[in-house]
């Protein structure tokens, strides 16, 4: 009877893994620059470091996820993108009024490492909340889809100069490795990373041509 129950659970899980939408988010990974106070981004982990971290999560578990956190809620600053790059080679100053779209609420993005199969990605996604909780990422104070607001910015580009406007802000990063187990079977092992956007604002620089 026990074997029948276990087999049934495995079958149901496999069906769920194949039908759940695979993780596919983009956001901070396309930012121009991400600067952590300490530690490093998941994409900068070496193979040797990953192997060492994985030793902490490869523990046989009936059902659930084992998590090892490498960097927890590390303060981070970032430059997301350049919005305007304006040159004035004329003899008079030129003024503009720009519309800048910024994030106005916390937003948590996440990513995983490695070439995972569709089934493995589905397993990781189904355990995403558990991974966050064990890694110390508080979902209660974040949103998965942020609100955006358009701000007006008055810009004067003096003669013989260039003005560059870009978005920057602060964030918190938590990353590490995890291993998901279903009926004592390791269905997925990979690195994970949560990026929680705290604020965002435009910044302007001016340079002489």
């Amino acid at each position: 009877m026990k074997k029948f129950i276990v087999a049934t659970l495995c079958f149901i899980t496999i069906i769920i893994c194949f039908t759940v939408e695979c993780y596919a988010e983009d956001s901070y990974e396309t930012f121009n620059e991400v600067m952590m106070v300490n530690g490093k981004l998941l994409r900068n982990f070496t193979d040797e470091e990953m192997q060492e971290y994985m030793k902490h999560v490869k523990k046989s578990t009936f059902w659930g996820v084992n998590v090892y956190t490498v960097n927890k809620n590390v303060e981070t600053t970032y430059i997301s993108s350049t919005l305007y790059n304006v040159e004035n080679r004329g003899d008079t100053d030129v003024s503009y009024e720009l519309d800048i779209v910024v994030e106005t609420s916390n937003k948590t993005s996440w990513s995983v490492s490695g070439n995972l199969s569709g089934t493995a990605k589905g397993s990781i996604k189904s355990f995403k909340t558990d991974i966050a909780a064990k890694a110390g990422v508080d979902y209660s104070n974040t949103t998965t889809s942020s609100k955006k607001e358009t701000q007006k910015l008055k810009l004067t580009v003096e003669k013989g100069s260039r003005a560059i406007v870009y978005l920057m802000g602060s964030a918190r990063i938590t990353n590490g490795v995890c291993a998901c187990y279903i009926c004592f079977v390791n269905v997925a092992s990979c690195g994970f990373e949560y990026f929680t956007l705290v604020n965002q604002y435009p910044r302007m620089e001016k340079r002489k041509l």
Side-chain angles (χ1 to χ4, degrees):
M1 183 64 179
K2 289 183 179 180
K3 290 183 178 180
F4 175 78
I5 294 174
V6 170
T8 302
L9 287 173
C10 288
F11 176 77
I12 293 173
T13 301
I14 291 171
I15 296 298
I16 293 173
C17 289
F18 273 109
T19 57
V20 71
E21 181 181 354
C22 293
Y23 160 77
E25 291 183 32
D26 58 3
S27 56
Y28 74 96
E29 292 182 291
T30 63
F31 285 0
N32 290 348
E33 193 169 0
V34 179
M35 299 149 285
M36 300 171 66
V37 172
N38 52 66
K40 61 173 70 174
L41 292 170
L42 175 63
R43 63 175 177 247
N44 295 327
F45 286 4
T46 65
D47 292 340
E48 291 75 18
E49 288 172 333
M50 287 294 289
Q51 291 174 8
E52 187 63 29
Y53 299 149
M54 280 296 179
K55 294 178 181 178
H56 297 274
V57 297
K58 291 294 183 67
K59 302 173 183 178
S60 184
T61 302
F62 172 65
W63 196 290
V65 59
N66 297 329
V67 172
Y68 178 71
T69 304
V70 178
N71 297 293
K72 183 175 181 180
N73 291 323
V74 176
E75 293 183 7
T76 304
T77 57
Y78 67 88
I79 297 174
S80 64
S81 59
T82 300
L83 302 178
Y84 298 93
N85 189 340
V86 184
E87 291 185 358
N88 181 3
R89 297 184 178 275
D91 297 325
T92 58
D93 297 348
V94 180
S95 296
Y96 301 89
E97 185 172 87
L98 308 177
D99 290 332
I100 309 292
V101 179
V102 299
E103 305 277 359
T104 59
S105 63
N106 285 1
K107 173 183 177 180
T108 297
S109 305
W110 80 308
S111 64
V112 295
S113 66
N115 297 318
L116 299 174
S117 66
T119 301
K121 287 183 179 180
S123 299
I124 289 290
K125 188 175 179 68
S126 66
F127 284 116
K128 182 173 70 171
T129 302
D130 291 340
I131 296 171
K134 291 184 178 182
V137 178
D138 186 3
Y139 260 17
S140 64
N141 293 326
T142 62
T143 56
T144 54
S145 58
S146 66
K147 296 179 182 178
K148 295 186 177 182
E149 177 182 276
T150 300
Q151 299 179 357
K152 297 289 186 181
L153 176 66
K154 292 184 178 180
L155 171 65
T156 298
V157 185
E158 290 77 12
K159 60 182 181 180
S161 67
R162 168 186 292 166
I164 301 173
V165 181
Y166 53 87
L167 282 179
M168 66 179 301
S170 58
R172 293 187 301 272
I173 288 180
T174 296
N175 57 29
V177 297
C178 63
C180 299
Y181 286 86
I182 296 175
C183 298
F184 296 111
V185 177
N186 182 358
V187 294
S189 298
C190 65
F192 68 87
E193 187 164 74
Y194 290 87
F195 180 99
T196 301
L197 184 149
V198 176
N199 58 44
Q200 188 176 84
Y201 49 88
R203 180 170 178 176
M204 177 173 57
E205 289 185 1
K206 292 184 179 180
R207 304 171 185 173
K208 289 291 185 180
L209 293 176

